[in-house]
C-alpha cells in the first residue's frame, strides 16, 4: 500500500517513484546538505559581526583620551591605552644655582688698548711723545706729563696763570709736532690729517685727536684716514684701521708764584 507522500506508477515492467515537493521548488547545488550549509553561513555572519564590533571598539579606544591620566583605563576585554599616559609630562626647567662668591663680570678691553701689538704701540707712543716734548719746550708751559690709560693717552699741560692767555700758541706747536711725527712714521696716522685732525675740548682748555695704525696702505680707506669720515659705512670695500688710540690734551692753570 502506498504511503500518502508517494504514489506508484506502473509502466510496463518499470517502477518510477515521484516525491511530492513542498515549499521552495528551486534546485539546490553544492556538496554540503542544505541545512548544514545554512548553519555554516549563519556562523560566518556571526563571526564577521563580532569582529566588526571589536574593530569599532579598538578605534574608539585609540581616538578617545582619558580625563584622568593617572587613573587606569581598563575594560572587560583588556587594558586600553591612553595617549595622555604615553606622553611624559613636561618637567620644570632646571636652573643653575648662582655662585655668590664669583667675581663680578668686567667688560673685556676693546682692540687698540691693552692688547695692542708692540710695533703699533710704539708708533702711537712716538707721536704722543713728540707732542709732549714740544709742550715742554714752550716757555709758556711749566711742565707736561703723558699718561697711558685704558682709553688711550692723556697729556696734562701745566702753565702759569700769567701765561694762560698765550697757551694756545704752545698747543699749536704741539699739534704740528704730532703731525710731523706721524709723517715720519711708517704705519701711524693722525685721523683726519687733511681736514680737522684736532678737535677742541668743550671747556676750551685742550684738544682731542685719534691715532690709527695702517699696515697695508694699498687696501686702506683713505677717506677715513685723510678727512676722518667714510660715507660708505658698512658697504666700504676698503679696510678701516683696527688699531686706534685716542689722545687727549688738557691744560691746567697753576696759581701765580
Amino acid at each position: 500500500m502506498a504511503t500518502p507522500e508517494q504514489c506508484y506508477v506502473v509502466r510496463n515492467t518499470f517502477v518510477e517513484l515521484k516525491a511530492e515537493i513542498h515549499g521552495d521548488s528551486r534546485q539546490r547545488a553544492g556538496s554540503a546538505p542544505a541545512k548544514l550549509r545554512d548553519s555554516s553561513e549563519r556562523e560566518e555572519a556571526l563571526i564577521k559581526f563580532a569582529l566588526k564590533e571589536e574593530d569599532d571598539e579598538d578605534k574608539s579606544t585609540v581616538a578617545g583620551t582619558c580625563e584622568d591620566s593617572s587613573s587606569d583605563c581598563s575594560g572587560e576585554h583588556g587594558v586600553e591605552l591612553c595617549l595622555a599616559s604615553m606622553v611624559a609630562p613636561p618637567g620644570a626647567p632646571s636652573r643653575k644655582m648662582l655662585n655668590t662668591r664669583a667675581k663680578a663680570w668686567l667688560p673685556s678691553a676693546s682692540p687698540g688698548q691693552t692688547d695692542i701689538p708692540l710695533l703699533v704701540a710704539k708708533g702711537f707712543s712716538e707721536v704722543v711723545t713728540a707732542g709732549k716734548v714740544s709742550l715742554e719746550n714752550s716757555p709758556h708751559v711749566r711742565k707736561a706729563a703723558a699718561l697711558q690709560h685704558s682709553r688711550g693717552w692723556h697729556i696734562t699741560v701745566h702753565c702759569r696763570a700769567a701765561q694762560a692767555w698765550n697757551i694756545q700758541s704752545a698747543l699749536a706747536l704741539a699739534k704740528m709736532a704730532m703731525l710731523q711725527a706721524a709723517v715720519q712714521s711708517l704705519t701711524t696716522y693722525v685721523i683726519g690729517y687733511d681736514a680737522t685732525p684736532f678737535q677742541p675740548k668743550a671747556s676750551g682748555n685742550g684738544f682731542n685727536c685719534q691715532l690709527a695704525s695702517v699696515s697695508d696702505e694699498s687696501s686702506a680707506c683713505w677717506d677715513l684716514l685723510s678727512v676722518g669720515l667714510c660715507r660708505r659705512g658698512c658697504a666700504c670695500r676698503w679696510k678701516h684701521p683696527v688699531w686706534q688710540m685716542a689722545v687727549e690734551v688738557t691744560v691746567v692753570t697753576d696759581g701765580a708764584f
Side-chain angles (χ1 to χ4, degrees), residues 8-92:
Y8 298 91
V9 178
V10 178
R11 292 182 179 179
N12 296 332
T13 59
F14 299 95
V15 177
E16 182 176 342
L17 301 179
K18 290 185 179 180
E20 295 182 359
I21 300 175
H22 302 278
D24 190 7
S25 61
R26 292 177 297 178
Q27 183 178 1
R28 298 182 181 274
S31 58
K35 293 184 178 179
L36 294 178
R37 186 176 64 183
D38 294 342
S39 61
S40 63
E41 289 177 355
R42 287 194 297 270
E43 291 177 358
E44 183 178 1
L46 292 175
I47 293 174
K48 290 182 178 180
F49 181 78
L51 292 176
K52 184 176 182 302
E53 287 187 343
E54 292 181 358
D55 186 44
D56 294 339
E57 291 178 358
D58 294 339
K59 291 181 179 180
S60 62
T61 302
V62 174
T65 56
C66 295
E67 295 180 357
D68 187 4
S69 60
S70 60
S71 60
D72 295 333
C73 300
S74 59
E76 296 180 359
H77 302 286
V79 178
E80 297 179 357
L81 299 179
C82 302
L83 294 178
S85 62
M86 298 175 65
V87 179

Side-chain angles (χ1 to χ4, degrees), residues 87-111:
V87 179
S94 59
R95 298 184 62 182
K96 188 176 180 180
M97 299 297 294
L98 298 178
N99 184 7
T100 57
R101 298 182 179 180
K103 295 182 179 180
W105 177 85
L106 295 176
S108 58
S110 59

Side-chain angles (χ1 to χ4, degrees), residues 114-204:
T114 60
D115 53 350
I116 298 177
L118 182 60
L119 293 178
V120 176
K122 182 180 179 182
F124 291 160
S125 178
E126 290 176 351
V127 175
V128 173
T129 301
K132 173 180 172 292
V133 171
S134 175
L135 291 169
E136 289 177 336
N137 294 332
S138 174
H140 309 293
V141 175
R142 188 171 65 87
K143 67 175 181 179
L147 177 64
Q148 185 179 8
H149 49 79
S150 60
R151 295 184 299 273
W153 282 91
H154 186 200
I155 301 177
T156 304
V157 183
H158 295 266
C159 67
R160 299 178 178 88
Q163 301 293 333
W165 62 273
N166 205 19
I167 194 63
Q168 295 300 325
S169 61
L171 294 178
L173 292 175
K175 295 175 183 179
M176 293 178 59
M178 295 176 68
L179 290 175
Q180 185 63 29
V183 171
Q184 296 177 356
S185 174
L186 297 178
T187 58
T188 305
Y189 289 83
V190 180
I191 295 181
Y193 59 87
D194 271 348
T196 54
F198 304 101
Q199 303 296 328
K201 299 181 68 172
S203 58

